[in-house]
Amino acid sequence: QVQLVESGGGLVQAGDSLRLSCALSGRTFSGYYMGWFRQAPRKEREFVAAIRWSAGSTYYTDSVKGRFTISRDNAKNTVYLQMNSLKPEDTAVYYCAAGLGRLSAVTSMNIYDYWGQGTQVTVSS
């Protein structure tokens, strides 16, 4: 049974940092894209960042470039999202996801087959 379990969310002030973790189990994810998405209240779920598990290549949405860093630890089977210089507009539930697909579709929810339950990040001004 594949499981993705996020942790690390919380309430912080603008300018602070948080590191989200996504613990993976149930299969090997070599070749998969591991993505982070977020969903703010009354908004669509949106792509934040992704990493190709095997190659380590990374992708970001423009609004987080330079502030967020996605990484993975093969030994721990864990994906991380380091979030620095947080802003109130980063407030959302953050979801970890895993999927196979084309690089051109890495920002699309459609290629991700497995999802975590989400972790809340709240940034106060």
Side-chain angles (χ1 to χ4, degrees):
Q1 180 183 359
V2 175
Q3 283 193 309
L4 282 65
V5 180
E6 301 100 333
S7 60
L11 171 62
V12 297
Q13 293 188 328
D16 286 350
S17 298
L18 276 176
R19 188 177 79 159
L20 305 183
S21 300
C22 176
L24 315 171
S25 62
R27 65 161 299 133
T28 58
F29 290 91
S30 178
Y32 272 68
Y33 286 104
M34 305 303 304
W36 284 98
F37 287 75
R38 65 186 180 187
Q39 187 166 18
R42 299 174 297 282
K43 290 191 175 181
E44 299 281 324
R45 192 171 298 188
E46 65 174 0
F47 171 80
V48 176
I51 187 168
R52 187 75 185 269
W53 186 267
S54 51
S57 43
T58 58
Y59 314 91
Y60 299 92
T61 193
D62 286 346
S63 63
V64 308
K65 283 180 182 176
R67 299 190 299 124
F68 291 11
T69 303
I70 188 171
S71 62
R72 86 275 191 247
D73 185 323
N74 290 338
K76 295 183 178 179
N77 230 29
T78 301
V79 178
Y80 302 100
L81 185 67
Q82 177 67 44
M83 305 186 295
N84 299 330
S85 302
L86 282 161
K87 304 175 181 179
E89 51 263 44
D90 295 317
T91 295
V93 177
Y94 283 70
Y95 298 90
C96 177
L100 291 167
R102 293 175 179 267
L103 173 58
S104 59
V106 72
T107 63
S108 170
M109 292 174 56
N110 294 333
I111 72 162
Y112 294 91
D113 299 313
Y114 306 106
W115 291 84
Q117 82 288 352
T119 185
Q120 176 71 46
V121 172
T122 304
V123 184
S124 64
S125 57

